[in-house]
Amino acid sequence: MKNSANATTVLVTGGSGYLGLQCVLQLLQEGYTVKTTIRSLAKKEEIIHALTTGGIHHFDKLTFIEADLTKDDNWMEAVSGCTYVLHVASPFPAVDPADENEIIVPARDGSLRVLKAARDAGVKRVVLTSSFAAIGYSRSPENYTFTEQDWTDPSTPGLRPYLKSKAIAEKAAWDFMKREGGDMELTVINPVGIFGPVPGGNYSASMEFVLKGLLNGDIKETPNFTFNIVDVRDTADIHLRAMTHPEAKGERFLAASEGSVSVYDIAVLVRRERLQHAANIADLKPLGAEVYVHLSAEKARKVLGWKPRAKEITLLDTIDALSGVEGRDHKR
Ligand code: NAP
């Protein structure tokens, strides 16, 4: 525990979420005083249980506030007394809604609500969880390496609502800062697909679908794409680094571990490292020369000294956790 962190209060929005919970856990481990917003206080006990599983046994430094991104209520109370805000909450549904505004409006207006309240309360810095969705969906990935310089144009034809919501919300946040941010600072984290074990086992539907589907044989063919991943533990870590690092002010940081994977690559990894799962995995074929998305997370490594785990460790730890085996908390 860092003593310097003791006097500092941090708000995490969405402490009930996969990443939000991990941020709360790491902040408490670091000795910060933590406030977290949740949509319903009914989730409080579940969160405390998950944090206990994660090794937290004293909750005197954690406060819950009920707040919804679509309503003004309680946001001032949530940010009051905070030096930093990690704005993690945003709708991330497993299925696209019929009306894209169901996702876009809370994402955009919620970010603006949090930023306005934070500015008015004298918060020093907000770290906003954006996504690779706000970076890499408006140009062909062929022969190209995506960086923080790239932006997804929300008017790109066929862009799915979630991807659009992240691009629109991040753009709105930067515009707000330019126009009326005052002395407050903004830093943005743009993670790729987040995987990895969390206390309490609150996994995203897509992650369970891919990994459980592979392990129980439901996935019969290798889908025609590769994807980039980042560990949830490293994603929380990059948020904490971005929160205090002087050079993070006004910057975006892509968060990704090295290289990309296909479902076939995961099958090969599981067969090699977790023999007990091999029997159910369907006989998959490798991908050919299909679309590989290349991106660089060098900036976070250089500026923040961030060192994400290898993707193989993240995948195996996730598989262990999903199959009820205690995840081995490998360090890089
Ligand atoms: P998650 O588990 O679904 O968490 C989303 C959080 O947002 C939950 O706490 C949820 O609260 C909250 N939320 C949603 N709508 C809300 C509303 N109207 N008012 C208040 N809170 C609301 O997903 P996650 O993976 O942790 O996502 C966290 C952040 O990371 C999001 O900003 C997401 O876009 C970003 N991200 C995720 C990934 C990924 O692969 N998982 C990749 C890149 C970026 P409830 O518990 O009440 O629903």
Side-chain angles (χ1 to χ4, degrees):
M1 184 188 291
K2 289 180 186 163
N3 285 334
S4 58
N6 269 323
T8 308
T9 302
V10 184
L11 171 70
V12 179
T13 66
S16 56
Y18 174 53
L19 174 61
L21 179 84
Q22 186 68 30
C23 290
V24 171
L25 176 72
Q26 289 190 12
L27 286 165
L28 290 172
Q29 285 169 339
E30 292 275 312
Y32 287 97
T33 299
V34 181
K35 295 170 98 174
T36 189
T37 59
I38 45 179
R39 267 196 278 198
S40 161
L41 287 179
K43 284 203 172 167
K44 189 175 150 180
E45 291 313 316
E46 200 182 305
I47 295 170
I48 286 182
H49 175 72
L51 291 169
T52 309
T53 317
I56 303 291
H57 300 293
H58 301 287
F59 292 93
D60 46 321
K61 294 177 98 182
L62 177 63
T63 317
F64 294 88
I65 299 113
E66 202 168 72
D68 193 302
L69 294 171
T70 60
K71 297 183 186 129
D72 289 332
D73 309 341
N74 300 342
W75 285 108
M76 270 324 287
E77 183 198 338
V79 293
S80 115
C82 293
T83 306
Y84 304 109
V85 172
L86 306 186
H87 178 39
V88 181
S90 202
F92 192 24
V95 202
D96 289 342
D99 177 1
E100 62 181 20
N101 284 320
E102 277 182 37
I103 311 184
I104 293 171
V105 171
R108 181 196 56 214
D109 295 2
S111 291
L112 294 176
R113 274 194 178 87
V114 171
L115 286 169
K116 275 184 198 141
R119 178 204 56 197
D120 292 347
V123 164
K124 180 174 166 51
R125 183 179 294 174
V126 174
V127 180
L128 169 76
T129 315
S130 182
S131 169
F132 182 68
I135 287 187
Y137 286 83
S138 287
R139 58 157 296 152
S140 161
E142 224 170 305
N143 301 321
Y144 191 72
T145 300
F146 288 97
T147 68
E148 293 82 358
Q149 299 293 322
D150 293 295
W151 271 95
T152 297
D153 176 352
S155 63
T156 306
L159 199 63
R160 289 182 52 196
Y162 169 72
L163 304 173
K164 217 188 237 191
S165 79
K166 296 305 284 182
I168 290 175
E170 188 191 330
K171 181 79 176 37
W174 287 119
D175 287 348
F176 169 87
M177 291 302 294
K178 237 189 262 160
R179 254 188 356 256
E180 47 182 317
D183 292 337
M184 190 172 72
E185 300 168 359
L186 177 66
T187 300
V188 170
I189 305 297
N190 301 79
V192 292
I194 306 175
F195 281 61
V198 281
N202 168 13
Y203 297 103
S204 70
S206 54
M207 186 169 73
E208 284 212 32
F209 176 75
V210 173
L211 294 180
K212 281 199 166 160
L214 177 72
L215 298 185
N216 66 22
D218 283 352
I219 293 183
K220 308 272 186 230
E221 284 179 13
T222 307
N224 189 22
F225 56 83
T226 59
F227 48 99
N228 297 84
I229 67 169
V230 62
D231 196 294
V232 66
R233 295 163 290 189
D234 297 324
T235 314
D237 176 55
I238 195 175
H239 279 71
L240 268 65
R241 287 170 187 264
M243 187 175 90
T244 53
H245 199 297
E247 286 172 44
K249 172 186 165 185
E251 299 290 339
R252 308 168 93 191
F253 292 96
L254 245 167
S257 47
E258 202 65 52
S260 55
V261 282
S262 67
V263 170
Y264 173 78
D265 298 331
I266 304 176
V268 170
L269 175 74
V270 174
R271 284 206 180 96
R272 197 180 65 222
E273 301 288 337
R274 295 292 184 275
L275 259 185
Q276 70 271 30
H277 294 306
N280 291 334
I281 298 178
D283 190 17
L284 304 175
K285 302 267 175 299
L287 276 179
E290 283 84 356
V291 179
Y292 283 81
V293 175
H294 296 288
L295 49 88
S296 167
E298 253 328 281
K299 182 175 164 184
R301 291 171 192 268
K302 275 200 186 128
V303 177
L304 304 175
W306 183 63
K307 294 193 191 98
R309 288 162 179 78
K311 59 187 182 310
E312 291 77 11
I313 291 173
T314 301
L315 289 165
L316 290 172
D317 282 355
T318 315
I319 285 164
D320 287 343
L322 284 173
S323 43
V325 179
E326 188 64 22
R328 293 175 301 170
D329 190 13
H330 306 262
K331 292 290 171 198
R332 351 287 184 201

Short mmCIF file of all heavy atoms in Angstrom, two decimals, residues 14 16-19 39 43 67-70 88-92 106 129-131 162 166 191-194, ligand 1:
data_model
loop_
_atom_site.label_atom_id
_atom_site.label_comp_id
_atom_site.label_asym_id
_atom_site.label_seq_id
_atom_site.Cartn_x
_atom_site.Cartn_y
_atom_site.Cartn_z
N GLY A 14 -19.25 2.97 -12.55
CA GLY A 14 -19.52 1.60 -13.00
C GLY A 14 -18.72 0.55 -12.27
O GLY A 14 -18.12 -0.34 -12.90
N SER A 16 -19.77 -1.93 -10.86
CA SER A 16 -20.39 -3.25 -11.05
C SER A 16 -19.86 -3.94 -12.30
O SER A 16 -20.13 -5.12 -12.51
CB SER A 16 -21.90 -3.08 -11.20
OG SER A 16 -22.17 -2.18 -12.27
N GLY A 17 -19.12 -3.21 -13.15
CA GLY A 17 -18.72 -3.79 -14.43
C GLY A 17 -17.43 -4.59 -14.33
O GLY A 17 -16.73 -4.57 -13.32
N TYR A 18 -17.15 -5.28 -15.41
CA TYR A 18 -15.97 -6.16 -15.51
C TYR A 18 -14.68 -5.36 -15.24
O TYR A 18 -13.88 -5.71 -14.37
CB TYR A 18 -16.00 -6.76 -16.91
CG TYR A 18 -14.84 -7.60 -17.34
CD1 TYR A 18 -14.40 -8.68 -16.57
CD2 TYR A 18 -14.19 -7.34 -18.55
CE1 TYR A 18 -13.34 -9.46 -17.00
CE2 TYR A 18 -13.14 -8.12 -18.98
CZ TYR A 18 -12.71 -9.17 -18.20
OH TYR A 18 -11.66 -9.94 -18.63
N LEU A 19 -14.50 -4.25 -15.97
CA LEU A 19 -13.30 -3.44 -15.78
C LEU A 19 -13.42 -2.53 -14.55
O LEU A 19 -12.44 -2.34 -13.82
CB LEU A 19 -13.05 -2.59 -17.05
CG LEU A 19 -11.92 -1.56 -16.96
CD1 LEU A 19 -10.58 -2.25 -16.68
CD2 LEU A 19 -11.83 -0.75 -18.26
N ARG A 39 -25.62 1.62 -10.84
CA ARG A 39 -26.99 2.02 -11.20
C ARG A 39 -27.98 1.70 -10.12
O ARG A 39 -28.98 2.39 -9.96
CB ARG A 39 -27.40 1.32 -12.49
CG ARG A 39 -27.11 2.16 -13.68
CD ARG A 39 -27.86 1.65 -14.84
NE ARG A 39 -27.17 0.53 -15.48
CZ ARG A 39 -27.45 0.15 -16.71
NH1 ARG A 39 -28.39 0.76 -17.39
NH2 ARG A 39 -26.81 -0.86 -17.25
N LYS A 43 -26.73 -3.88 -6.05
CA LYS A 43 -25.54 -4.64 -6.48
C LYS A 43 -24.38 -4.55 -5.49
O LYS A 43 -23.34 -5.17 -5.67
CB LYS A 43 -25.07 -4.12 -7.84
CG LYS A 43 -25.94 -4.58 -8.98
CD LYS A 43 -25.18 -4.56 -10.29
CE LYS A 43 -26.03 -5.21 -11.38
NZ LYS A 43 -25.51 -4.95 -12.71
N ALA A 67 -26.08 6.13 -9.27
CA ALA A 67 -26.15 7.15 -10.33
C ALA A 67 -26.26 6.47 -11.69
O ALA A 67 -25.65 5.42 -11.92
CB ALA A 67 -24.91 8.05 -10.30
N ASP A 68 -27.06 7.09 -12.55
CA ASP A 68 -27.29 6.56 -13.89
C ASP A 68 -26.75 7.56 -14.90
O ASP A 68 -26.94 8.78 -14.72
CB ASP A 68 -28.80 6.34 -14.08
CG ASP A 68 -29.09 5.51 -15.32
OD1 ASP A 68 -28.68 5.90 -16.43
OD2 ASP A 68 -29.71 4.44 -15.18
N LEU A 69 -26.11 7.07 -15.95
CA LEU A 69 -25.53 7.97 -16.95
C LEU A 69 -26.59 8.80 -17.67
O LEU A 69 -26.29 9.84 -18.26
CB LEU A 69 -24.75 7.15 -18.00
CG LEU A 69 -23.51 6.42 -17.50
CD1 LEU A 69 -22.96 5.49 -18.57
CD2 LEU A 69 -22.43 7.42 -17.07
N THR A 70 -27.82 8.36 -17.63
CA THR A 70 -28.89 9.08 -18.34
C THR A 70 -29.62 10.09 -17.46
O THR A 70 -30.57 10.72 -17.91
CB THR A 70 -29.92 8.09 -18.92
OG1 THR A 70 -30.48 7.36 -17.81
CG2 THR A 70 -29.30 7.11 -19.89
N VAL A 88 -15.41 4.87 -16.30
CA VAL A 88 -15.34 3.56 -16.96
C VAL A 88 -16.71 3.15 -17.52
O VAL A 88 -16.81 2.51 -18.57
CB VAL A 88 -14.84 2.49 -15.95
CG1 VAL A 88 -14.73 1.12 -16.61
CG2 VAL A 88 -13.49 2.90 -15.35
N ALA A 89 -17.78 3.55 -16.82
CA ALA A 89 -19.13 3.08 -17.19
C ALA A 89 -19.55 3.54 -18.58
O ALA A 89 -19.32 4.69 -18.95
CB ALA A 89 -20.15 3.58 -16.16
N SER A 90 -20.13 2.66 -19.32
CA SER A 90 -20.70 2.96 -20.64
C SER A 90 -21.48 1.72 -21.06
O SER A 90 -21.05 0.60 -20.72
CB SER A 90 -19.57 3.24 -21.64
OG SER A 90 -20.03 3.99 -22.74
N PRO A 91 -22.57 1.88 -21.79
CA PRO A 91 -23.32 0.67 -22.17
C PRO A 91 -22.49 -0.23 -23.08
O PRO A 91 -21.90 0.25 -24.04
CB PRO A 91 -24.52 1.24 -22.94
CG PRO A 91 -24.55 2.69 -22.66
CD PRO A 91 -23.18 3.11 -22.28
N PHE A 92 -22.45 -1.51 -22.75
CA PHE A 92 -21.69 -2.48 -23.54
C PHE A 92 -22.53 -3.74 -23.68
O PHE A 92 -22.23 -4.79 -23.12
CB PHE A 92 -20.36 -2.77 -22.81
CG PHE A 92 -19.36 -3.53 -23.64
CD1 PHE A 92 -19.39 -3.50 -25.02
CD2 PHE A 92 -18.37 -4.28 -23.03
CE1 PHE A 92 -18.46 -4.19 -25.78
CE2 PHE A 92 -17.43 -4.99 -23.77
CZ PHE A 92 -17.48 -4.94 -25.15
N PRO A 106 -26.58 7.37 -23.67
CA PRO A 106 -25.93 7.26 -22.35
C PRO A 106 -24.40 7.38 -22.44
O PRO A 106 -23.78 7.95 -21.55
CB PRO A 106 -26.32 5.87 -21.84
CG PRO A 106 -27.33 5.34 -22.77
CD PRO A 106 -27.39 6.19 -24.00
N THR A 129 -12.52 5.85 -20.10
CA THR A 129 -12.32 4.59 -20.81
C THR A 129 -13.02 4.69 -22.16
O THR A 129 -14.24 4.65 -22.24
CB THR A 129 -12.93 3.40 -20.05
OG1 THR A 129 -12.57 3.50 -18.67
CG2 THR A 129 -12.43 2.09 -20.62
N SER A 130 -12.22 4.87 -23.20
CA SER A 130 -12.80 4.82 -24.54
C SER A 130 -12.55 3.41 -25.07
O SER A 130 -12.72 2.44 -24.32
CB SER A 130 -12.18 5.91 -25.42
OG SER A 130 -12.76 5.90 -26.69
N SER A 131 -12.11 3.27 -26.29
CA SER A 131 -11.95 1.93 -26.86
C SER A 131 -11.20 2.02 -28.17
O SER A 131 -11.14 3.10 -28.80
CB SER A 131 -13.35 1.35 -27.12
OG SER A 131 -13.27 0.17 -27.89
N TYR A 162 -22.44 0.11 -30.89
CA TYR A 162 -21.48 0.21 -29.78
C TYR A 162 -20.22 0.96 -30.24
O TYR A 162 -19.72 1.85 -29.55
CB TYR A 162 -21.12 -1.18 -29.24
CG TYR A 162 -19.96 -1.12 -28.28
CD1 TYR A 162 -20.10 -0.57 -27.01
CD2 TYR A 162 -18.68 -1.57 -28.66
CE1 TYR A 162 -19.02 -0.48 -26.13
CE2 TYR A 162 -17.60 -1.48 -27.79
CZ TYR A 162 -17.78 -0.94 -26.53
OH TYR A 162 -16.71 -0.83 -25.67
N LYS A 166 -18.78 4.69 -28.82
CA LYS A 166 -17.48 4.98 -28.21
C LYS A 166 -16.78 6.12 -28.94
O LYS A 166 -16.17 6.99 -28.31
CB LYS A 166 -16.59 3.72 -28.19
CG LYS A 166 -17.13 2.59 -27.35
CD LYS A 166 -17.42 2.97 -25.91
CE LYS A 166 -16.21 3.11 -25.03
NZ LYS A 166 -16.60 3.45 -23.63
N PRO A 191 -8.73 0.70 -24.96
CA PRO A 191 -8.37 -0.72 -24.94
C PRO A 191 -8.94 -1.46 -26.15
O PRO A 191 -9.99 -1.09 -26.67
CB PRO A 191 -9.03 -1.25 -23.66
CG PRO A 191 -9.62 -0.07 -22.95
CD PRO A 191 -9.79 1.01 -23.98
N VAL A 192 -8.24 -2.53 -26.53
CA VAL A 192 -8.81 -3.49 -27.48
C VAL A 192 -9.69 -4.44 -26.66
O VAL A 192 -10.07 -4.10 -25.53
CB VAL A 192 -7.68 -4.23 -28.25
CG1 VAL A 192 -6.96 -3.28 -29.18
CG2 VAL A 192 -6.70 -4.90 -27.28
N GLY A 193 -10.01 -5.63 -27.16
CA GLY A 193 -10.89 -6.55 -26.42
C GLY A 193 -10.28 -6.93 -25.07
O GLY A 193 -9.14 -7.41 -25.02
N ILE A 194 -11.04 -6.71 -24.02
CA ILE A 194 -10.49 -6.98 -22.68
C ILE A 194 -10.84 -8.41 -22.27
O ILE A 194 -12.01 -8.81 -22.29
CB ILE A 194 -11.04 -5.98 -21.64
CG1 ILE A 194 -10.79 -4.53 -22.12
CG2 ILE A 194 -10.39 -6.19 -20.28
CD1 ILE A 194 -11.40 -3.46 -21.21
P1 NAP B 1 -19.48 -4.09 -18.47
O1 NAP B 1 -19.06 -5.17 -17.56
O2 NAP B 1 -20.73 -4.25 -19.26
O3 NAP B 1 -19.51 -2.74 -17.67
C1 NAP B 1 -20.22 -1.62 -18.10
C2 NAP B 1 -20.50 -0.76 -16.90
O4 NAP B 1 -21.22 0.40 -17.33
C3 NAP B 1 -21.37 -1.46 -15.86
O5 NAP B 1 -20.94 -1.08 -14.58
C4 NAP B 1 -22.75 -0.91 -16.16
O6 NAP B 1 -23.64 -0.91 -15.04
C5 NAP B 1 -22.39 0.52 -16.52
N1 NAP B 1 -23.47 1.17 -17.25
C6 NAP B 1 -24.00 0.84 -18.43
N2 NAP B 1 -25.02 1.67 -18.73
C7 NAP B 1 -25.14 2.55 -17.70
C8 NAP B 1 -26.00 3.63 -17.39
N3 NAP B 1 -26.97 4.01 -18.21
N4 NAP B 1 -25.80 4.29 -16.23
C9 NAP B 1 -24.83 3.92 -15.36
N5 NAP B 1 -23.99 2.90 -15.59
C10 NAP B 1 -24.14 2.22 -16.74
O7 NAP B 1 -18.33 -3.83 -19.57
P2 NAP B 1 -16.77 -3.58 -19.40
O8 NAP B 1 -16.09 -4.46 -20.33
O9 NAP B 1 -16.38 -3.57 -17.99
O10 NAP B 1 -16.68 -2.08 -19.98
C11 NAP B 1 -16.15 -1.03 -19.21
C12 NAP B 1 -15.67 0.05 -20.15
O11 NAP B 1 -14.61 -0.47 -20.96
C13 NAP B 1 -16.73 0.58 -21.11
O12 NAP B 1 -16.53 1.97 -21.25
C14 NAP B 1 -16.41 -0.15 -22.39
O13 NAP B 1 -16.88 0.56 -23.52
C15 NAP B 1 -14.90 -0.17 -22.32
N6 NAP B 1 -14.25 -1.18 -23.14
C16 NAP B 1 -14.52 -2.51 -22.92
C17 NAP B 1 -13.86 -3.46 -23.71
C18 NAP B 1 -14.09 -4.93 -23.50
O14 NAP B 1 -13.64 -5.74 -24.33
N7 NAP B 1 -14.76 -5.36 -22.44
C19 NAP B 1 -12.94 -3.04 -24.70
C20 NAP B 1 -12.70 -1.68 -24.87
C21 NAP B 1 -13.35 -0.76 -24.07
P3 NAP B 1 -24.64 -2.15 -14.75
O15 NAP B 1 -23.80 -3.16 -14.01
O16 NAP B 1 -25.70 -1.54 -13.93
O17 NAP B 1 -25.11 -2.64 -16.08
#
